[in-house]
Amino acid sequence: MKRPVFIPLFLAFLVLFILVIIPDRWIESLIPKNRISQAATELNPVMFQGKYIQQKMLEDGRYLPIYGSSELARLDRFHPSNYFQEVHEGFTPFLVGRGGTESLIHFLNFSEHMDQLKDKKIVFVLSPQWFNPQGADESHFVPNYSSLQGYDFAFNTQVDPEVKKRAIKRLLTYSSVKNDPILSTLYKAEITNDPWIKREASALRPAAVVYRHLLAKKDLYYSLAGWFSRHRDLTPKVRNKSWDQLAQDADQYGAKRATNNHFYISNSQYNKIKGFLPSLKNKDMNRSYGESKEYGDFQLVLDVLKQSGAKPLFISVPVNGHYYDYTGFPKEGRAAYYSRIKQQIEADGFQVADFSGHEYDPYFMKDTIHIGWKGWVYTDRAIKEFYEGNDQNLAMVNF
């Protein structure tokens, strides 16, 4: 006898119903105690698009959050996660970010955790490449956008109303937000006086509450499931050495891995571009990072960090001067960014480790755009001085 097709469908809905009604505290009780320490270097997009793991991390004083983008995944022996693991400084870096995680994504994340950021020291690594004229495009924003954080932001009453309105106007330019009929209506109701849109938003609010709850529940299950570990170069060779010795070690380490090009980048990265290198010659003439929508997005980050009472250190990473010269990217267009971003950060009273003077420093960059090797040594020193509150020593690291 043929089994009715509705039985598997019914069972599927039954299982889904059970998963939804299970109390959150039951799921939390099943999440392993070491999940936070595991997540510190996993760079799990599910984690930083959710909130449970980050919430627990921010509650734990042992962790120093480091926010950034794709450079965080370059886990060589000088990387902060590996260096501080070996030298035992009393804190564990916790990495949040991946390729395309730019200012607006970080803003939503910070808005999610405002209560936990008060007096919290954090590190934020800036990439000049974010600051192209149009800022974050669809290809970078959409994969990193979190629906949970987007809905939580709609219900957020802590963020300064003017800051919230500026953020909403920017968020509504992206497809993942404007094509969500419920969320986009809630957002539009915040920035308009149209009574029809406000009534529509009120009618949709219960559905938004339910959907938001389902997203939060999904985040708990993902936190329970975990992720995969990344390869790390943990080595005792960084212990008991001065910063000058570490910089020399990084020079030697980089020199062994960048032997086939004059850009001082790793052989493997050079091999990826050498086939079409002639087409890159002078392709970036007349470009600049001095004007960009990203500055407005970054100001949102500064605003929410200032309102929350966080204590950030910003790392201003340089470009690879040798490569940028080859592509014809004007020095003036790079200098405009370095100057503007430093002024913007300091205008809000925050600290910045400015490494813009290292554009031509061999092995400071691992490839054409990512910090590595010697650059990580400077970053490690800046983080140590910042964490210990040595502001005078921090200022010296920049040069």
Side-chain angles (χ1 to χ4, degrees):
M1 182 176 177
K2 193 173 182 180
R3 186 165 57 175
V5 295
F6 68 83
I7 292 180
L9 188 62
F10 171 77
L11 291 175
F13 275 113
L14 179 62
V15 170
L16 178 61
F17 177 73
I18 292 172
L19 290 174
V20 169
I21 65 171
I22 291 176
D24 290 356
R25 65 180 183 276
W26 289 10
I27 306 171
E28 290 184 34
S29 68
L30 297 174
I31 297 174
K33 299 297 184 184
N34 66 344
R35 178 66 76 233
I36 311 304
S37 60
Q38 289 176 340
T41 55
E42 287 178 347
L43 290 166
N44 178 359
V46 172
M47 173 273 296
F48 56 73
Q49 289 178 338
K51 62 181 179 181
Y52 175 80
I53 295 293
Q54 288 193 71
Q55 176 183 328
K56 294 300 180 183
M57 176 271 294
L58 290 168
E59 290 173 354
D60 193 330
R62 293 174 298 175
Y63 294 102
L64 176 69
I66 301 180
Y67 301 87
S69 52
S70 53
E71 73 286 332
L72 297 182
R74 272 64 180 176
L75 288 163
D76 64 54
R77 67 181 57 180
F78 305 102
H79 186 288
S81 289
N82 295 335
Y83 173 76
F84 289 108
Q85 170 82 6
E86 292 302 314
V87 300
H88 309 298
E89 287 293 342
F91 65 88
T92 298
F94 191 102
L95 309 178
V96 183
R98 64 170 180 169
T101 312
E102 301 181 14
S103 299
L104 200 55
I105 297 295
H106 285 300
F107 166 77
L108 284 174
N109 195 13
F110 289 139
S111 299
E112 181 81 87
H113 300 284
M114 285 187 68
D115 284 343
Q116 299 164 294
L117 290 172
K118 184 173 177 57
D119 295 325
K120 183 73 175 181
K121 288 189 174 183
I122 68 172
V123 176
F124 191 105
V125 183
L126 285 157
S127 294
Q129 295 76 28
W130 296 357
F131 293 81
N132 64 77
Q134 297 304 313
D137 59 18
E138 287 277 321
S139 66
H140 290 89
F141 179 84
V142 173
N144 294 296
Y145 166 72
S146 164
S147 292
L148 174 57
Q149 292 175 2
Y151 272 83
D152 278 351
F153 188 65
F155 289 91
N156 191 315
T157 58
Q158 293 179 289
V159 176
D160 179 272
E162 291 305 314
V163 173
K164 188 174 183 181
K165 287 179 181 178
R166 285 179 12 234
I168 285 174
K169 289 177 182 177
R170 185 76 169 111
L171 288 165
L172 284 169
T173 65
Y174 294 100
S175 62
S176 48
V177 176
K178 66 184 178 185
N179 293 340
D180 182 329
I182 296 177
L183 184 60
S184 61
T185 301
L186 294 181
Y187 278 178
K188 289 174 184 176
E190 294 257 9
I191 59 174
T192 184
N193 293 320
D194 188 329
W196 171 253
I197 293 179
K198 290 187 176 296
R199 285 195 297 268
E200 187 179 7
S202 296
L204 290 173
R205 201 170 182 85
V209 170
V210 172
Y211 186 54
R212 178 190 181 197
H213 174 72
L214 292 176
L215 291 171
K217 181 78 71 173
K218 184 177 76 169
D219 177 46
L220 286 178
Y221 282 117
Y222 279 141
S223 300
L224 175 61
W227 197 243
F228 57 85
S229 298
R230 290 180 178 267
H231 173 72
R232 299 172 63 182
D233 185 2
L234 293 172
T235 170
K237 294 181 180 179
V238 299
R239 297 179 188 170
N240 303 317
K241 293 188 176 183
S242 69
W243 292 113
D244 287 341
Q245 288 173 323
L246 281 174
Q248 292 173 8
D249 286 352
D251 274 333
Q252 296 171 7
Y253 190 84
K256 293 177 181 179
R257 288 158 178 79
T259 61
N260 65 353
N261 65 89
H262 63 284
F263 300 124
Y264 298 100
I265 64 177
S266 70
N267 293 344
S268 59
Q269 291 298 317
Y270 180 73
N271 289 337
K272 293 178 181 180
I273 65 172
K274 69 178 181 179
F276 52 90
L277 194 62
S279 66
L280 303 178
K281 181 71 172 177
N282 293 327
K283 75 176 182 65
D284 290 331
M285 295 177 68
N286 302 317
R287 288 191 62 191
S288 175
Y289 291 145
E291 297 292 333
S292 171
K293 291 182 180 179
E294 189 72 20
Y295 288 103
D297 296 344
F298 181 58
Q299 188 59 51
L300 293 171
V301 169
L302 296 175
D303 290 341
V304 77
L305 289 178
K306 190 167 186 177
Q307 185 186 348
S308 66
K311 296 182 177 179
L313 169 68
F314 292 92
I315 307 293
S316 180
V317 176
V319 303
N320 184 321
H322 302 282
Y323 175 76
Y324 268 62
D325 285 349
Y326 181 84
T327 66
F329 198 115
K331 292 182 180 179
E332 297 81 3
R334 288 130 59 175
Y337 159 76
Y338 299 136
S339 175
R340 181 171 178 179
I341 203 67
K342 187 173 187 290
Q343 290 176 8
Q344 189 173 2
I345 293 168
E346 292 180 339
D348 275 310
F350 296 136
Q351 293 179 299
V352 54
D354 179 11
F355 297 145
S356 59
H358 295 276
E359 274 196 351
Y360 296 99
D361 196 342
Y363 318 119
F364 200 90
M365 309 296 288
K366 187 174 184 178
D367 53 32
T368 59
I369 60 175
H370 295 110
I371 194 170
W373 304 327
K374 193 171 184 178
W376 282 134
V377 173
Y378 278 78
T379 301
D380 294 337
R381 184 178 180 185
I383 291 174
K384 175 179 169 61
E385 303 296 354
F386 165 71
Y387 188 82
E388 295 179 350
N390 299 323
D391 294 352
Q392 186 173 358
N393 290 345
L394 175 60
M396 295 174 61
V397 177
N398 302 348
F399 303 102

